[in-house]
Each structure stands twice: as structure tokens, then as C-alpha cells.
Amino acid sequence: MKDLYYAIVGTTTDTNAGLVRFMGVILAFIVIAGTVFWAIG
């Protein structure tokens, strides 16, 4: 799981930028999944 986190964040030192990027990926995933489910439903 840490490897996936590091792959998304890209660094172990700059946690602020990494956290923002991580949250952005989660938000994008939620939006895309929601759009797919809405289109199906």
C-alpha cells in the first residue's frame, strides 16, 4: 500500500503537495465513478 502511495505522491518529503495530489486523485476517481454510475443508472 505504501508503494502505491509513494507512486501517487511521488515523494516522501514534500507531504503538503503530495497530500493535495493524493486528494485530487481520490476526488477525480469519485467524480469519474459517479459519472459512470449515473450514466448506467
Side-chain angles (χ1 to χ4, degrees), residues 1-11 14-31:
M1 191 62 191
K2 262 195 189 300
D3 291 335
L4 177 66
Y5 174 78
Y6 288 142
I8 294 172
V9 174
T11 181
D14 192 1
T15 50
N16 259 353
L19 189 64
V20 170
R21 195 178 308 139
F22 187 65
M23 295 300 279
V25 168
I26 293 174
L27 187 64
F29 176 75
I30 292 172
V31 169

